[in-house]
Amino acid sequence: MKLSRLAFALSSIGLFSIATGVLAQVTTTKEDEKKSEKIQKVEVTGSKIKRINYETASPVQVITRDELVRGGATSLTEVLKTISANQGGIDENRTNGFTAGASGLNLRGIGSQATLVLINGRRLAAYAQPEYQTTFVDLNSVPVGAVERIEVLKDGASAIYGSEAMAGVVNIILRDSFVGAEISGSISQSQKNDGEQVRTSLSYGFGSLVEDHYNVYATLDIRQRKPMFISKRDDYLSTLDLRPYGYKDNRSLYTFPGNIYWTDKATGKFVSQTLDKNCAPNNLVPADIFFGAGTVGNACVFDDLKDASVNSGGKTDRVGLTSRGTWQINADTSAFAEIMYNQNKATVTGLPHWFAGQNGQPTGALPITHPQYPKELIDPVTGKTLAGGNGSVRVRASLKDFPGQGLENTTDFGRYLAGLKGTYANWDWETALMFNTSKVESKATAGILSKPFIEAYNNGTFLFGSSAQNADLYKKIVTGSSNNFKSGMYMWDGKVSGEVMQLPAGPMSIAVGVEARRETLEVNPSQLSIDGELYHTAQSEPGYKRGRNIASTYAELSIPIFKTLEGQIAARYDRYSDYGSSTTPKVGLKWNADPTLLVRGTYATGFRAPTLVENSTQILKAFLSYRDPERCNDKFKNGCQWSSAYESGSNPNLKPETADSFTLGLVWEPTSWLNASLDFWQIKRKDEISTFDLTTVLANPGRYAGNPAAVITRDPLTAADRAAGATAGEISNLRLLLTNVATTQVRGLDLDINTKFNLGEYGRITPNMKVTYNHSYKSAPSPETAAIEYAGTRNQPRVQATAGIGWEKAAWKASVDAVHIGHMSSNGDFTQPCVFETQGYANLCKDIPSFTTFNVGGSYTGLMKDLKLSFAIRNVLDRMPPFAPSATSSQAIAAVTGLHDVIGRYFQITVDYKFK
């Protein structure tokens, strides 16, 4: 009977139904109790050698399952994005990128590609759709319901898991086994009555490893969230008109139905007027705001945030299945298999289609035969234009009557693994085969076919603002397109660890491992995009397939030098089929100075070969909005809000990055209720692969003259623009290729304090605090220039911290957690003048204040046996981010994106039940 059930369990792992009529009871046998009483050696992230003492030479932060869920988090993103060592990263709620619904970490602020994310100590395939040329592991591919804990290795590199882990390692530990059944359900909503979310998690497992010699479990995690809209947020978060808050009006000329402007032949001045007479009074402004003093007429403006359906959080639908089966073949050997499948559908809405009609654009200047051409500019005798300058009438419009642009990304993530592990004499061994894929179908909704639309514009059958007349045209020219991406990883690994010999101070232990993997990437853009048939969507290059093989071996020694001093020596050798080989060593020391004080330190090197995206030949094209300092000054304003084609290119000639990292710290545990650590860290990355900073390039074009990785293409400066005060022609294209920029060096301190107090009849409390102080962030904008200090600038706060306190008594639990982002300068580069001052807003050349949000949670289990009721409120005080407008982007919200939360107060109620 047991044999047949075991065969069935292993053959159907992960595929059985959760909704079963027989729900096993969680049982604890005497053998289990005896086993738990024994001192067990554990494997800690950062080492493959099992040990009794959890403290190693490397600093490791552990996030327990209780900490994962007590603040109402329903995804790993919501947990990991708030750890003090993280700075921004890929944001799942962005509307101006390609990777809608995906999320990535950015430990130490040196890029998501420098953080290695693992599941149970094994790496994951990269998210299939690159964000420009950045690759990362999507945190939303791992359902939070299956996670037991998370270990964050804060070393700068790891000779054990992968030499590219320059900023650290995030190891997601899943449940090893589970017996019984659990169901959890939650509902959530923001205070702005959007972002409604429903989540269900079901877990079921059977089989005792002690009695039945096997265990099979599965967790099904389902989450649906409706969109949140930036227009519902308060004050400066939901508008581009920032005049009431001490800055300028950033509303756009791209309005509905539109604006037209031309040069007056007699005076040489710009003349502006709206395309109709129905502009709302509060949207009608003097045109000299855009074109400088002396401009004649008015312009109708459009608020991209208030007047459009821009998400502050997109609609998401996620379903994830995680399953594991273990078969205890005999006392020394077990087989295991894991299945993880997750589908994430994310939908975001962005700005309406914009229209630029002028010479050099696919949609040229307004044809004189167009019904909306100003009649006063047509010579009644010759029928020619009376406009001065180059004789053109330019158009700026928002096609708000067209369906809004959107992005629907469906990500299918699969991870399939089977392996064996066991012991032989005093040695532990393990081997496994793994197949991991990430597939993304990215649908761009409501695109416009260029050819018929341009024809309709040129022959006058398309009228700006005439929704009724354009209705038939919409049906012919509005279309969707689909881009498809797939990344894969095939991997085999094996490792063995144990004691080599007995030294006077204790046993010397060793771990040795090998790994072979193949990485693949396939990119298939829409044929419409390849053919350049989508209006103002940059033309794509044809798709491509790439792959490479990597073979690795590593060894680690733990050497007890004295009774109180332990040394760690590790080295990793990687051989890439496309980049040769590298050897990355690591050394560490751990000294127990006395029973309460531990001193530790590590030195390691890192090596990151360019990814399959970075070293391809693909040029990714898009449109980008920015401020053009050559066409934005006291007299001329036409470039203060500019958009042009943008190219971000791969580079097959890239060199690998290398890094050196160093940590030195103390761990102090004077009593059973206090554990504190203080660690200094430094990472120096050389030949960093990145693009030059666009703002820096535009501000210092001479510095990059002749550099193929930074090319600015401009139209000739017209006489009219020169007379109006412009110093350069309009930018028609920006090209920033990946290159080995230079060197980045970061250093700082991590403080970690954990306490616990027994209050007797009042329960028990567990306060904790984690602080990261970013002392320095130096980076060179090019190999020929000196490094610039960015610590404390915009996007680089010196201090980030989390603090919390948990309380527990009998059936009651409660918690309060704080997330703190320190103050930072409003200036993005200390070597350059404050841009706000050059714009005439010197009052904004001051620090952006700190931002602290509080999350509260609580639970009660005394109502019914096996029933738990919980609540959580994120940002309970409904704190708004500090006013922090961008001096270089006219479309950005007035907060530091990626660091400041703009969602506001968010409520959640959860019900958990364990079946008996």
Side-chain angles (χ1 to χ4, degrees), residues 803-817:
I805 181 170
W807 171 79
E808 181 177 356
K809 180 187 178 184
W812 294 93
K813 284 185 178 181
S815 64
V816 179
D817 295 287

Side-chain angles (χ1 to χ4, degrees), residues 75-287:
S75 70
L76 291 186
T77 298
E78 294 167 0
V79 177
L80 291 173
K81 297 283 271 191
T82 61
I83 64 176
S84 61
N86 183 63
Q87 287 192 21
I90 305 297
D91 185 2
E92 64 181 316
N93 294 322
R94 291 176 311 153
T95 60
N96 60 345
F98 299 103
T99 54
S103 175
L105 283 182
N106 185 13
L107 293 181
R108 308 305 189 195
I110 62 174
S112 298
Q113 64 271 38
T115 300
L116 187 60
V117 180
L118 313 170
I119 291 182
N120 292 342
R122 291 181 171 91
R123 62 177 65 231
L124 299 173
Y127 182 70
Q129 184 177 17
E131 175 62 22
Y132 288 100
Q133 270 68 43
T134 298
T135 57
F136 61 97
V137 170
D138 179 18
L139 297 176
N140 290 332
S141 296
V142 183
V144 70
V147 178
E148 182 66 27
R149 69 183 184 278
I150 301 172
E151 297 176 351
V152 182
L153 174 66
K154 297 182 180 180
D155 268 325
S158 175
I160 305 300
Y161 299 108
S163 57
E164 73 269 38
M166 296 177 176
V169 174
V170 176
N171 192 10
I172 302 165
I173 310 297
L174 306 181
R175 288 174 170 176
D176 187 60
S177 62
F178 175 73
V179 178
E182 296 177 347
I183 183 170
S184 175
S186 67
I187 55 174
S188 315
Q189 188 179 58
S190 82
Q191 184 167 297
K192 303 301 180 182
N193 296 317
D194 57 10
E196 298 91 341
Q197 177 177 280
V198 177
R199 177 175 176 264
T200 301
S201 180
L202 303 140
S203 296
Y204 175 56
F206 60 87
S208 167
L209 289 174
V210 175
E211 295 182 347
D212 303 317
H213 305 296
Y214 72 90
N215 176 261
V216 178
Y217 81 86
T219 297
L220 182 66
D221 201 287
I222 302 172
R223 192 186 90 154
Q224 295 178 314
R225 189 186 73 182
K226 294 182 179 179
M228 292 174 274
F229 296 98
I230 196 66
S231 59
K232 290 190 175 184
R233 271 55 233 171
D234 294 328
D235 300 331
Y236 46 79
L237 295 180
S238 59
T239 182
L240 291 178
D241 185 2
L242 301 179
R243 291 175 298 175
Y245 312 103
Y247 195 38
K248 61 184 178 180
D249 187 352
N250 275 331
R251 290 177 295 176
S252 169
L253 272 177
Y254 294 91
T255 191
F256 181 78
N259 295 286
I260 55 175
Y261 57 97
W262 62 91
T263 302
D264 182 76
K265 184 177 292 187
T267 63
K269 294 181 178 181
F270 277 123
V271 178
S272 174
Q273 72 179 38
T274 62
L275 275 170
D276 69 1
K277 307 299 182 183
N278 298 320
C279 183
N282 61 328
N283 287 345
L284 195 64
V285 300

Side-chain angles (χ1 to χ4, degrees), residues 349-481:
T349 56
L351 302 176
H353 285 281
W354 52 268
F355 184 97
Q358 68 185 64
N359 294 341
Q361 290 285 340
T363 45
L366 189 67
I368 197 170
T369 55
H370 196 280
Q372 291 172 304
Y373 196 90
K375 299 299 185 290
E376 66 271 21
L377 289 181
I378 302 176
D379 189 307
V381 177
T382 65
K384 296 182 178 180
T385 182
L386 298 175
N390 59 9
S392 67
V393 174
R394 309 181 195 183
V395 185
R396 294 288 185 271
S398 170
L399 308 183
K400 193 178 178 182
D401 50 342
F402 279 60
Q405 300 176 87
L407 192 64
E408 295 178 358
N409 276 6
T410 300
T411 304
D412 290 284
F413 176 88
R415 179 179 180 270
Y416 313 97
L417 180 146
L420 293 168
K421 66 179 180 178
T423 59
Y424 179 77
N426 292 324
W427 295 85
D428 298 305
W429 60 270
E430 182 175 333
T431 183
L433 283 168
M434 186 186 74
F435 172 52
N436 188 190
T437 61
S438 172
K439 300 177 183 178
V440 178
E441 181 183 25
S442 182
K443 294 182 178 180
T445 59
I448 297 176
L449 294 173
S450 290
K451 187 175 180 180
F453 176 61
I454 295 172
E455 288 177 354
Y457 165 67
N458 288 332
N459 63 31
T461 56
F462 166 74
L463 297 180
F464 296 95
S466 182
S467 303
Q469 180 168 329
N470 296 331
D472 290 337
L473 178 64
Y474 300 158
K475 298 175 184 178
K476 298 177 182 178
I477 67 172
V478 175
T479 183
S481 60

Side-chain angles (χ1 to χ4, degrees), residues 419-622:
L420 293 168
K421 66 179 180 178
T423 59
Y424 179 77
N426 292 324
W427 295 85
D428 298 305
W429 60 270
E430 182 175 333
T431 183
L433 283 168
M434 186 186 74
F435 172 52
N436 188 190
T437 61
S438 172
K439 300 177 183 178
V440 178
E441 181 183 25
S442 182
K443 294 182 178 180
T445 59
I448 297 176
L449 294 173
S450 290
K451 187 175 180 180
F453 176 61
I454 295 172
E455 288 177 354
Y457 165 67
N458 288 332
N459 63 31
T461 56
F462 166 74
L463 297 180
F464 296 95
S466 182
S467 303
Q469 180 168 329
N470 296 331
D472 290 337
L473 178 64
Y474 300 158
K475 298 175 184 178
K476 298 177 182 178
I477 67 172
V478 175
T479 183
S481 60
S482 180
N483 302 311
N484 292 275
F485 308 85
K486 181 181 179 181
S487 70
M489 180 184 295
Y490 308 80
M491 188 176 78
W492 169 80
D493 64 16
K495 62 179 180 179
V496 60
S497 65
E499 297 177 1
V500 180
M501 59 185 296
Q502 189 71 27
L503 298 177
M508 182 172 70
S509 301
I510 188 172
V512 178
V514 294
E515 180 183 297
R517 71 180 189 271
R518 176 164 178 78
E519 298 175 351
T520 61
L521 177 66
E522 184 175 344
V523 175
N524 293 300
S526 162
Q527 193 62 44
L528 288 174
S529 180
I530 294 173
D531 295 339
E533 295 185 10
L534 297 174
Y535 174 63
H536 80 220
T537 297
Q539 186 173 4
S540 298
E541 294 189 348
Y544 62 91
K545 294 182 180 180
R546 294 182 60 81
R548 68 180 174 197
N549 301 320
I550 304 103
S552 308
T553 183
Y554 60 86
E556 176 190 6
L557 274 175
S558 176
I559 308 171
I561 304 171
F562 302 110
K563 288 289 186 181
T564 59
L565 182 64
E566 178 186 318
Q568 179 193 25
I569 301 175
R572 183 182 186 91
Y573 175 81
D574 296 290
R575 182 167 185 82
Y576 291 77
S577 61
D578 55 352
Y579 271 98
S581 60
S582 70
T583 301
T584 49
K586 175 181 178 180
V587 295
L589 284 174
K590 183 181 73 169
W591 175 42
N592 291 95
D594 64 41
T596 67
L597 182 65
L598 182 147
V599 182
R600 64 188 179 191
T602 64
Y603 169 76
T605 64
F607 173 92
R608 190 179 78 83
T611 66
L612 295 177
V613 175
E614 292 170 335
N615 65 9
S616 71
T617 57
Q618 189 182 48
I619 303 296
L620 190 62
K621 301 178 181 180

Side-chain angles (χ1 to χ4, degrees), residues 4 288 320 576 675 752 790 802 841:
S4 61
D288 58 11
Y576 291 77
N675 178 283
D752 190 344
Y790 288 98
T802 60
Y841 300 94

